[in-house]
């Protein structure tokens, strides 16, 4: 689109804004009437380990929201010479799950407990058995029930429990609602009624009856909404939270807030049945839209969530992906600088990750574990990053980097084995997105070898979840009664280009050898957790 046309759309309020709170970066994206990104802004942040809890403060959340928006408006001004004062719609997304607990005065009762915490094992196991349904440790209901089991004082004062996306949306609109995809990571969803499963809600209320709380579960949770449903408008207070200068106008409609899994599905056009996507960054998860329900519950291995329009999705999730090799690359950068040289961060990533393609197919026997935090999928409940090798292993940079990429996918593969080998789930296409895929071909080849299937990356995949939530906001105001999958196919991805990598037999066999060693090495990782503190 020509620059003057873009400028006019910005001035007339015909653009769409999406903001996503990722684990390490908050990103704001502005799209035009053709659903193309035209400007962006960001804010880097990190979770903190405070008293054994991975958390972000409310001040950090508010600062990140305003700063990412400010940087977006500066990008708009620099590129187009105009001010961003209004949009046609906007949307908020964030990392799923976790526990934000408020009292009747809207005061936070305990620090935000993020998805990364693996401190709810007892609650997760008991609820999974009670519901005969997988309830992972990171789900909101697991955090709530664990707080009850721990006899935490704050529980009796609860009035609202939500995820990060629903919290930010609430502060912008005053509405306590949540997109169904993110809601399905708080509590199990009935995919027929598109509400929290009433039978399971009743079971939970019965379970905690003897505690005599003044609340029941339904009163605590945000209302679940489907993509395209009205979710409130930006209030004056919300507009000032987003833009403290007061320049941005109130009254703008918001789409239902969603989780990063849902926006990843949208951004990769993976909403229809028999499609899937892999989101690989700080954490990694694969999501396959199912044709039918699974034959049984696979607690701890396969989560069941939904697309933003309510279809059932099988999700294999690992808490750790790129974080550990990020640390190694940071170390290598320090080595370069210690020699009196310097190298741009992006170039160093491309060089080092590219070396993985030159390594032995099985990584020469090298075995790292990237467990910065625990992995429920493999029965490890605390993080102990490790690197293990035999004295006669082929210890080279190429093998080291390949092993770092393969181990980033080890826990994920554990879950995918269930879907492909036990449930015989059929997939026509898997699209990848996230930082794991930034270096050309490298991430795709490693993922294709691990998944044993072709992996495609759309040229727009780098836009990520912020673009995905912007598309959901566009769907809210531009859909004209079309189904979400049809809107995406016809209005967004009709002419999109994708690069596809088909795994070679040698790469698959190499990963299989590595993975067999990985499973044996879990005993070493467990020993590290038990003996190192």
């Amino acid at each position: 689109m020509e620059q003057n046309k873009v400028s006019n759309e910005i001035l007339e309020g015909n653009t769409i804004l999406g903001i996503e709170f990722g684990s390490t970066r908050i990103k704001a994206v502005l799209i035009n009437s053709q659903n193309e990104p035209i400007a962006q802004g960001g804010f880097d942040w990190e979770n903190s380990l405070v008293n054994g809890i991975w958390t972000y403060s409310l001040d950090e959340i508010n600062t990140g929201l305003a700063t990412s928006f400010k940087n977006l408006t500066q990008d708009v001004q620099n590129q187009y010479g105009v001010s961003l004062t209004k949009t046609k719609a906007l949307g908020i997304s964030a990392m799923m799950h976790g526990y934000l607990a408020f009292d009747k005065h809207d005061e936070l009762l305990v620090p935000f407990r993020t998805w990364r915490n693996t401190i709810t094992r007892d609650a997760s196991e008991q609820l999974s058995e009670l519901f005969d349904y997988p309830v992972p440790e990171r789900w909101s209901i697991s955090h709530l029930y664990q707080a009850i089991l721990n006899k935490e004082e704050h529980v009796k004062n609860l009035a609202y429990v939500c995820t990060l996306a629903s919290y930010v949306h609430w502060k912008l609109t005053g509405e306590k609602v949540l997109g169904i995809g993110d809601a399905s990571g708080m509590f199990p969803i009935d995919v027929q009624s598109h509400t929290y499963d009433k039978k399971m809600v009743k079971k939970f209320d019965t379970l905690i009856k003897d505690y005599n709380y003044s609340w029941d579960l339904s009163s605590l949770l945000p209302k679940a909404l489907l993509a395209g449903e009205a979710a409130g408008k930006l209030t004056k207070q919300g507009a000032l939270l987003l833009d403290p200068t007061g320049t941005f106008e109130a009254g703008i409609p918001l789409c239902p807030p969603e989780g990063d899994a849902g926006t990843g599905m949208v951004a990769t056009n993976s909403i229809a049945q028999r499609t899937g996507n892999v989101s690989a960054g700080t954490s990694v998860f694969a999501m396959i839209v199912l044709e039918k329900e699974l034959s049984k519950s696979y607690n701890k291995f396969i989560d069941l969530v939904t697309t933003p329009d309510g279809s059932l999705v099988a999700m294999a999730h690992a808490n750790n992906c790129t974080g550990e090799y990020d640390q190694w690359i940071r170390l290598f950068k320090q080595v370069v600088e210690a020699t009196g040289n310097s190298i741009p961060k992006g170039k160093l990533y491309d060089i080092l990750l590219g070396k993985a393609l030159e390594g032995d197919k099985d990584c020469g026997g090298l075995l790292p574990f990237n467990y910065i935090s625990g992995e429920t999928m493999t029965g490890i409940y605390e993080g102990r990053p490790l690197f293990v090798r035999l004295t006669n292993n082929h210890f080279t940079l190429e093998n080291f980097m390949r092993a770092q990429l393969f181990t980033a996918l080890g826990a994920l593969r554990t879950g995918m084995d269930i879907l492909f080998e036990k449930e015989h789930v059929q997939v026509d296409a898997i699209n990848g997105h996230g930082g794991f895929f930034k270096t050309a071909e490298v991430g795709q080849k490693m993922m294709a070898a691990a998944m044993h299937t072709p992996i495609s990356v759309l040229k727009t995949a780098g836009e990520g979840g912020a673009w995905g939530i912007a598309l959901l906001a566009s769907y809210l105001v531009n859909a004209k009664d079309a189904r979400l999958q049809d809107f995406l196919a016809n209005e967004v991805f009709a002419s999109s280009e994708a690069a596809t990598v088909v795994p070679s037999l040698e790469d698959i066999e190499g990963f299989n050898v590595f993975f067999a060693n990985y499973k044996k090495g879990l005993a070493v990782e467990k020993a590290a957790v038990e003996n190192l503190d």
Side-chain angles (χ1 to χ4, degrees):
M1 182 179 287
E2 296 178 4
Q3 184 160 334
N4 64 330
K5 290 184 178 179
V6 174
S7 298
N8 287 335
E9 286 197 350
I10 294 170
L11 289 171
E12 293 167 2
N14 287 325
T15 56
I16 307 285
L17 173 62
I19 301 176
E20 178 156 287
F21 289 72
S23 299
T24 60
R25 183 169 175 79
I26 301 170
K27 184 176 180 181
V29 167
L30 193 69
I31 64 176
N32 62 20
S33 59
Q34 296 177 1
N35 296 305
E36 300 166 332
I38 57 173
Q40 63 178 306
F43 176 79
D44 292 333
W45 68 343
E46 287 284 353
N47 54 189
S48 301
L49 188 61
V50 180
N51 298 322
I53 301 293
W54 291 104
T55 189
Y56 304 86
S57 71
L58 296 189
D59 285 343
E60 288 177 303
I61 294 168
N62 295 337
T63 297
L65 174 68
T67 304
S68 61
F69 180 77
K70 177 183 177 182
N71 291 338
L72 170 74
T73 61
Q74 289 176 343
D75 189 35
V76 169
Q77 185 68 48
N78 292 340
Q79 285 197 71
Y80 307 106
V82 296
S83 297
L84 181 66
T85 62
K86 58 184 176 181
T87 59
K88 191 174 182 180
L90 67 91
I92 298 294
S93 60
M95 59 193 97
M96 290 178 69
H97 317 300
Y99 182 75
L100 279 156
F102 296 89
D103 65 15
K104 63 182 180 181
H105 303 295
D106 298 340
E107 294 294 327
L108 186 68
L109 291 168
V110 290
F112 174 29
R113 298 171 182 179
T114 77
W115 60 271
R116 197 170 195 171
N117 291 287
T118 52
I119 55 174
T120 61
R121 182 179 179 182
D122 290 345
S124 170
E125 291 178 348
Q126 291 181 36
L127 293 177
S128 295
E129 183 177 353
L130 177 68
F131 298 153
D132 190 26
Y133 192 95
V135 180
E137 294 176 21
R138 63 188 177 279
W139 279 27
S140 307
I141 191 61
S142 293
H143 282 281
L144 171 58
Y145 188 48
Q146 190 65 54
I148 293 172
L149 293 177
N150 294 346
K151 299 180 180 179
E152 295 186 35
E153 187 69 19
H154 79 272
V155 177
K156 69 178 187 298
N157 296 319
L158 284 172
Y160 186 46
V161 173
C162 63
T163 64
L164 179 54
S166 50
Y167 166 74
V168 177
H169 183 94
W170 171 37
K171 291 303 166 182
L172 294 178
T173 65
E175 300 290 338
K176 294 180 178 180
V177 299
L178 186 57
I180 193 168
D182 203 4
S184 68
M186 292 192 73
F187 191 88
I189 290 288
D190 180 344
V191 293
Q192 302 302 319
S193 66
H194 296 142
T195 58
Y196 301 109
D197 189 292
K198 292 181 180 179
K199 291 182 179 179
M200 295 185 195
V201 169
K202 186 175 181 180
K203 285 183 178 180
F204 183 82
D205 284 337
T206 300
L207 176 68
I208 65 169
K209 183 178 180 180
D210 290 344
Y211 289 93
N212 295 314
Y213 294 124
S214 61
W215 49 263
D216 58 27
L217 182 61
S218 295
S219 70
L220 298 184
L221 300 177
K223 181 182 179 181
L225 297 177
L226 295 171
E229 292 190 307
K233 294 183 178 181
L234 185 66
T235 63
K236 290 181 179 180
Q237 296 91 332
L240 287 172
L241 185 64
L242 186 63
D243 176 23
T245 70
T247 303
F248 199 66
E249 297 180 9
I252 297 165
L254 274 76
C255 67
E258 265 297 351
D260 51 0
T263 58
M265 285 187 275
V266 171
T268 55
N269 195 23
S270 304
I271 293 294
Q273 293 179 354
R274 293 174 65 101
T275 64
N277 82 95
V278 179
S279 175
T282 304
S283 65
V284 58
F285 51 84
M287 309 190 69
I288 309 297
V289 187
L290 300 175
E291 297 179 277
K292 60 181 181 180
E293 294 186 9
L294 300 180
S295 63
K296 66 175 186 176
S297 172
Y298 294 95
N299 295 338
K300 297 186 179 180
F301 297 102
I302 301 296
D303 303 353
L304 294 174
V305 291
T306 77
T307 63
D309 57 352
S311 294
L312 188 64
V313 175
M315 176 180 180
H317 180 279
N319 290 334
N320 303 285
C321 185
T322 63
E324 177 64 0
Y325 75 66
D326 284 340
Q327 297 286 347
W328 279 105
I329 292 176
R330 187 176 293 117
L331 177 67
F332 292 144
K333 190 172 190 294
Q334 291 175 347
V335 172
V336 172
E337 292 169 346
T339 67
N341 296 292
S342 63
I343 184 172
K345 180 180 176 181
K347 184 177 181 181
L348 183 61
Y349 266 80
D350 288 344
I351 291 172
L352 292 176
L353 296 180
K355 285 293 180 182
L357 300 180
E358 303 172 23
D360 298 332
K361 299 300 184 182
D362 64 354
C363 308
L366 306 187
L367 183 60
F369 282 93
N370 67 332
Y371 289 19
I372 293 174
S373 59
E375 288 290 1
T376 305
M377 193 100 71
T378 55
I380 306 294
Y381 296 99
E382 294 181 35
R384 297 291 189 279
L386 291 179
F387 175 67
V388 183
R389 66 183 179 94
L390 300 180
T391 54
N392 62 345
N393 287 151
H394 194 194
F395 189 22
T396 67
L397 176 62
E398 292 82 359
N399 283 339
F400 182 82
M401 295 311 303
R402 189 176 183 90
Q404 289 293 336
L405 290 168
F406 270 2
T407 200
L409 308 176
L412 176 69
R413 181 66 218 186
T414 303
M416 297 310 294
D417 279 348
I418 293 173
L419 293 180
F420 292 150
E421 296 177 14
K422 293 185 178 181
E423 290 289 334
H424 307 291
V425 169
Q426 299 297 309
V427 184
D428 296 328
I430 293 182
N431 293 315
H433 68 109
F436 188 82
F437 299 102
K438 280 187 177 180
T439 299
E441 288 195 340
V442 177
Q444 274 182 273
K445 286 188 174 182
M446 299 301 106
M447 185 69 74
M451 299 285 281
H452 300 181
T453 191
I455 301 293
S456 297
V457 173
L458 296 164
K459 283 195 172 182
T460 52
E463 304 300 339
W467 184 50
I469 192 64
L471 293 177
L472 287 172
S474 177
Y475 179 66
L476 172 70
V477 292
N478 296 322
K480 300 177 181 177
D481 297 324
R483 295 186 304 170
L484 179 58
Q485 68 185 67
D486 294 332
F487 172 79
L488 294 175
N490 298 328
E491 303 298 329
V492 181
F493 295 101
S495 59
S496 63
E497 298 179 30
T500 301
V501 167
V502 179
S504 68
L505 180 60
E506 293 81 5
D507 280 342
I508 290 175
E509 290 176 345
F511 181 84
N512 288 345
V513 172
F514 172 85
F515 190 50
N517 202 27
Y518 177 94
K519 289 188 283 188
K520 292 178 183 177
L522 286 171
V524 180
E525 177 69 23
K526 289 179 181 177
V529 171
E530 292 169 359
N531 294 285
L532 298 177
D533 54 26

